[in-house]
Amino acid sequence: MATALVAAVATLNGSAYADCGGDMQKLAQDRNTQLQIVNDFAKSFHGKPMDPQAFCLKSSGLIRAEAALIAYMEKNKDWCSFPDEAIDQLKEHHIKNAQFNAKACTVAAQMKKMKEQAAQGGGPQAQPLPAGPL
């Protein structure tokens, strides 16, 4: 009976760690795919200014994938034996990527607002020069 219990626990632990590996592989693959999308998009501009609206949309997938990966690693840190250094390093990259994404999205929103104002005849108006003698 005791041998069967030890074998069952060993099997459970083995399958749980296999789930860690499988889950991590899926999450990491999603992150890598999203990172490749962002990198390919950035390379397509060949040093020219990027379209902030398009970058905002393209990079949002990377932000989501990194957040999911970090959440999984933090939740299963002890069970899956994820080192703190790996989690911290991923968090640092995620913070930088999220900040860049936020800047691009802010610029995109500002550009959209300016275009809407211009289409409505609003926006910054030039002040008329004073008339008459100086």
Side-chain angles (χ1 to χ4, degrees):
M1 176 87 171
T3 307
L5 182 58
V6 170
V9 170
T11 302
L12 268 176
N13 285 341
S15 66
Y17 285 109
D19 289 341
C20 289
D23 292 343
M24 279 300 295
Q25 185 176 8
K26 289 176 190 171
L27 290 166
Q29 184 176 2
D30 184 34
R31 178 190 179 266
N32 291 340
T33 299
Q34 294 301 321
L35 184 60
Q36 189 64 47
I37 290 170
V38 170
N39 287 337
D40 289 346
F41 179 76
K43 286 177 188 175
S44 73
F45 284 88
H46 303 290
K48 298 177 207 162
M50 276 191 271
D51 174 9
Q53 184 176 10
F55 184 83
C56 176
L57 293 172
K58 297 269 184 194
S59 62
S60 64
L62 176 62
I63 303 307
R64 177 195 44 76
E66 285 180 339
L69 184 57
I70 291 167
Y72 182 85
M73 290 176 78
E74 288 180 331
K75 180 180 177 184
N76 298 293
K77 178 183 171 291
D78 295 329
W79 183 254
C80 297
S81 302
F82 295 130
D84 288 331
E85 298 81 28
I87 297 171
D88 291 343
Q89 186 178 23
L90 184 58
K91 283 181 177 181
E92 287 177 25
H93 288 284
H94 179 65
I95 289 168
K96 289 177 184 176
N97 290 336
Q99 288 173 338
F100 199 75
N101 171 267
K103 286 179 185 176
C105 294
T106 299
V107 170
Q110 290 170 345
M111 289 174 63
K112 181 180 177 184
K113 184 177 179 181
M114 288 171 52
K115 286 180 183 178
E116 289 171 353
Q117 288 176 341
Q120 295 172 357
Q125 300 290 326
Q127 294 293 325
L129 294 175
L134 297 176

